[in-house]
Amino acid sequence: MATDTPQEARDLSRPDLHLIFPPQWSPLQPFLSTPSLKAYLELRGHSIHQDDWNVSFYRWFIGPQRLPVARARLKHFIEALTDEHRMYRARCLHALATLDEYDTLLPRVEGLRTGDTYDTMENFKDSVDALKALLAAFSAAEPVIEVGTTSLQDGDVLASIPALLEFIEDRYANPFIAFFEEQVAGVQQRPRYFGVSIIGTEQIVAGLTLGRVLKQRFPDVPVLVGGSVFSRLVEKESTWVTQLFGECFDFICRYEGERPVDRFLSVEDPRKDRTPNFAFIDGGELVLTPLGDSLPMSEVPTPDFGGLPLEEYLSPEIVLPLLTTRGCYWGKCAFCYHGMIYGDRYRMRAPEMIAKDLEVLNARHGVRHFAFNDEALPPKLFRMLPPAVPKGQYFFTALYKFEKYYTREDFQNMYDIGFRSVYIGLETASERVQRHMRKNNTQKVMVDNLQFAHDAGIWSHTFNFFGFPTETEDEAEETVQFLLNHSDILHSEGTGTFVFEHNAPIHLDPKQFGVKGFKPRTDTVLDLFYEYEPETGLDAEGARAVLERFNKLKRERKLYQHGHWVDREHLLLLLSRYGRDALKQAFATVEESERGYTAAQLLRGYEFDTPEGKRHFVVNRRLRRVCVTNEDAVRIVGWLQFGAKVDDLLNAYPALSAALDPVPEDIEELTALKEAS
């Protein structure tokens, strides 16, 4: 396929590249991929347009125009499902009760965007709960897709390439088709190329659907896919990815995109030019061109967020992402692939340039909050940023690695320039396993760093997992006890089980890390994870058992139980407003307070004809309970006066207290139920 005319003869009235960011990603803040690329390419003389169709999708997905269809589908599901699938039927009833409150819930969600519900913690939580409730309700009405604020489940769509391509064309099951057709219809200028940024596996299905819609509407405009996901997939799963060329995209830009896309846009025929860092089909064969040089951080301009709808993100104040480095200064962890996208080349931006980025973005957008998305903020910047960044002007969140070099003063200085939360990969408290996974931390260093951060007023969140190959049950118990015993200086945690990823050092040399064997997972064709068998220690099932025990102990001891509903961006905003200790208390207060709902506010009654005959249901949306009951109970609920108390109702009709079908909360359980039904 010839791509276009030479640069000097191009139509300068249209973009060279129209960049699009598809769902699913956080609707709370912008992303960094296309703003970084846009800034560099425009300095090189190219015309670039960018759109965020992720945040637009969220507004569309729970928008009023979809309400009638969602209600109709939920009623159909309830009437069609048998008692064998009563759990999913209960989910649909709960969703229907949620949509009955739509006119109350939607303004609360809008309050996240406008800041109107930011005045009290109670109102803020109501807004976050409203967003999650509406996403869950509209998702229940979808045959396949489940959308959360930080997740997207797509059932078995990726079980095979035929299943994927069938879903991409299925207008009933795939909500992205109608959404993208609306968006694409609004494209004002036909560009030379479209670019789709896919930086997370949750974006695969939507991103490929977008590529298909673009190619149907603009068959003569080639589509590029960029980002870390397909950079890895085109190597790991080339057989499957090859089948998507021509159907969903024409080129894949691998690894960092600035220099490769600059050259790509500057030549007449990228296939003939063999532009570095690209993958494409030529003569029926997959071509992977050689990798070019990485861009020095001194040549990376301040990201350009122009064209993105900053007023549409669901946050009271915008939080902008930045990178102070590319790659990871440590670069040794056996389980981590992140440095691969940067060619395993570590580069740090000068502190003076970072300070200038902050100044520029503050002047452009009035932004005071920033998230450093580095793999790990290097120790150098702990010392070099405080003198370069003015105090009292900005607020930050970042990731870092435990280091023995840090002092109490380092954390205090970071707090003084605005650092309010930090995220750390603790992984394991076992020093033997730390050495084995090449993390090399000691418990003393961990405790010292956490204590220093705590004393400075910074919120610390650790990422942990059980089951790294050769880890014994006793070593996993060290992590359990470490987390339980240091909750006074560790403010939140995210704990799971080990996952074996493509491109990580453990994948490249499994025997060195105690892996007997591994194999691709069989439930998806576009996957970056493997099933593995350790030579010794906990296997995957054993790791899950330890995790379940840890979660049980947390609940019993009432540790790490507050604030789970707050995402990273919102946490930074709340910390800058309240301060850490006051915020912890506010979380506990709002989560444990009795809200005093009336029976009319809590309960909804429904009657449906099901395959087993006429059934009557009473739904308590806030307690996530569904009672299978009788006609009298539904009538009583319908007659409720606004001021009626729940206790009065239960005294009159005790049967309503029996929740026979509790509604599942876990999104994976929901997906399994949906597939089963």
Side-chain angles (χ1 to χ4, degrees), residues 203-423:
Q203 294 177 284
I204 290 176
V205 171
L208 294 178
T209 302
L210 169 59
R212 183 63 178 152
V213 171
L214 288 171
K215 292 189 68 60
Q216 289 173 336
R217 179 65 182 264
F218 298 98
D220 58 338
V221 178
V223 176
L224 286 66
V225 169
S228 60
V229 172
F230 276 88
S231 293
R232 296 198 287 160
L233 281 175
V234 75
E235 298 172 359
K236 177 181 182 286
E237 303 291 359
S238 59
T239 300
W240 309 124
V241 173
T242 299
Q243 298 178 53
L244 301 174
F245 281 97
E247 295 287 339
C248 301
F249 51 76
D250 302 284
F251 297 91
I252 294 174
C253 180
R254 302 155 60 217
Y255 305 95
E256 293 179 81
E258 286 94 347
R259 281 178 168 170
V261 177
D262 174 27
R263 179 163 168 177
F264 184 95
L265 296 177
S266 301
V267 300
E268 181 177 357
D269 188 346
R271 287 184 173 85
K272 182 178 179 181
D273 178 70
R274 290 300 195 256
T275 302
N277 289 47
F278 272 83
F280 50 83
I281 299 296
D282 194 10
E285 299 293 326
L286 176 64
V287 175
L288 302 179
T289 63
L291 300 180
D293 294 333
S294 299
L295 190 68
M297 288 298 280
S298 59
E299 297 182 23
V300 177
T302 300
D304 184 351
F305 295 92
L308 299 184
L310 298 186
E311 71 285 352
E312 296 298 311
Y313 295 94
L314 297 174
S315 288
E317 292 187 55
I318 201 69
V319 179
L320 288 184
L322 280 175
L323 279 177
T324 70
T325 63
R326 290 192 178 185
C328 179
Y329 78 91
W330 182 251
K332 301 175 185 178
C333 299
F335 52 84
C336 182
Y337 71 90
H338 290 173
M340 160 268 198
I341 192 64
Y342 302 114
D344 293 315
R345 261 198 74 204
Y346 169 68
R347 289 147 286 161
M348 189 183 87
R349 194 165 181 79
E352 296 75 21
M353 295 189 72
I354 299 170
K356 186 63 176 178
D357 293 336
L358 300 172
E359 181 183 341
V360 169
L361 293 173
N362 175 262
R364 287 178 184 170
H365 310 296
V367 175
R368 302 182 304 142
H369 296 81
F370 296 90
F372 289 135
N373 288 351
D374 303 68
E375 312 305 328
L377 207 65
K380 282 185 179 180
L381 285 181
F382 268 69
R383 305 276 169 83
M384 299 171 70
L385 266 183
V389 175
K391 295 180 181 179
Q393 191 165 339
Y394 309 116
F395 297 100
F396 305 105
T397 183
L399 295 89
Y400 81 99
K401 177 186 176 296
F402 291 125
E403 290 286 6
K404 64 182 179 181
Y405 310 106
Y406 292 135
T407 67
R408 186 179 301 276
E409 290 72 27
D410 290 330
F411 285 92
Q412 186 61 57
N413 290 337
M414 294 293 269
Y415 179 88
D416 289 344
I417 63 168
F419 277 79
R420 292 297 180 266
S421 60
V422 288
Y423 293 76

Side-chain angles (χ1 to χ4, degrees), residues 129-151:
D129 288 346
L131 171 61
K132 294 179 178 179
L134 288 178
L135 288 173
F138 279 93
S139 291
E142 291 297 325
V144 176
I145 296 297
E146 293 279 347
V147 181
T149 57
T150 59
S151 64

Side-chain angles (χ1 to χ4, degrees), residues 22 31 48 53 86 92 120 124 182 184 255 269 278 369 387 397 676:
F31 42 87
I48 309 298
W53 288 357
R86 63 184 183 277
C92 293
T120 70
F124 189 71
E182 286 185 21
V184 171
Y255 305 95
D269 188 346
F278 272 83
H369 296 81
T397 183

Side-chain angles (χ1 to χ4, degrees), residues 557-572:
R557 301 186 189 186
K558 298 182 179 180
L559 301 176
Y560 306 117
Q561 296 303 298
H562 298 301
H564 291 292
W565 51 276
V566 181
D567 290 313
R568 180 190 180 199
E569 299 86 355
H570 284 168
L571 180 61
L572 176 61

Side-chain angles (χ1 to χ4, degrees), residues 328-559:
C328 179
Y329 78 91
W330 182 251
K332 301 175 185 178
C333 299
F335 52 84
C336 182
Y337 71 90
H338 290 173
M340 160 268 198
I341 192 64
Y342 302 114
D344 293 315
R345 261 198 74 204
Y346 169 68
R347 289 147 286 161
M348 189 183 87
R349 194 165 181 79
E352 296 75 21
M353 295 189 72
I354 299 170
K356 186 63 176 178
D357 293 336
L358 300 172
E359 181 183 341
V360 169
L361 293 173
N362 175 262
R364 287 178 184 170
H365 310 296
V367 175
R368 302 182 304 142
H369 296 81
F370 296 90
F372 289 135
N373 288 351
D374 303 68
E375 312 305 328
L377 207 65
K380 282 185 179 180
L381 285 181
F382 268 69
R383 305 276 169 83
M384 299 171 70
L385 266 183
V389 175
K391 295 180 181 179
Q393 191 165 339
Y394 309 116
F395 297 100
F396 305 105
T397 183
L399 295 89
Y400 81 99
K401 177 186 176 296
F402 291 125
E403 290 286 6
K404 64 182 179 181
Y405 310 106
Y406 292 135
T407 67
R408 186 179 301 276
E409 290 72 27
D410 290 330
F411 285 92
Q412 186 61 57
N413 290 337
M414 294 293 269
Y415 179 88
D416 289 344
I417 63 168
F419 277 79
R420 292 297 180 266
S421 60
V422 288
Y423 293 76
I424 319 103
L426 184 148
E427 273 67 76
T428 174
S430 164
E431 294 182 4
R432 201 280 304 175
V433 179
Q434 281 276 330
R435 292 190 297 273
H436 182 53
M437 64 172 57
R438 295 180 178 173
K439 194 87 176 182
N440 292 1
N441 294 316
T442 66
Q443 287 197 18
K444 181 183 185 308
V445 168
M446 297 177 196
V447 173
D448 284 348
N449 286 186
L450 292 172
Q451 187 70 59
F452 296 159
H454 174 79
D455 292 346
I458 297 174
W459 183 291
S460 291
H461 177 104
T462 62
F463 302 107
N464 327 289
F465 56 74
F466 302 111
F468 189 79
T470 77
E471 180 184 51
T472 67
E473 190 165 347
D474 287 344
E475 288 170 331
E477 184 65 18
E478 285 189 67
T479 303
V480 170
Q481 294 304 318
F482 184 93
L483 295 173
L484 295 177
N485 293 335
H486 291 93
S487 61
D488 56 333
I489 57 174
L490 176 56
H491 312 103
S492 58
E493 49 76 37
T495 306
T497 58
F498 171 69
V499 291
F500 191 115
E501 292 198 58
H502 184 69
N503 288 117
I506 194 171
H507 164 239
L508 302 177
D509 192 359
K511 289 186 177 180
Q512 179 180 354
F513 297 99
V515 176
K516 185 184 298 185
F518 67 93
K519 61 182 180 180
R521 299 196 303 193
T522 57
D523 58 345
T524 173
V525 292
L526 297 179
D527 193 18
L528 294 167
F529 305 94
Y530 298 91
E531 296 176 358
Y532 68 97
E533 182 182 0
E535 291 181 352
T536 61
L538 296 169
D539 58 12
E541 183 177 348
R544 285 193 293 271
V546 176
L547 177 61
E548 289 174 6
R549 179 174 175 276
F550 171 61
N551 288 335
K552 180 181 178 182
L553 289 171
K554 283 194 305 181
R555 290 191 296 270
E556 290 175 351
R557 301 186 189 186
K558 298 182 179 180
L559 301 176

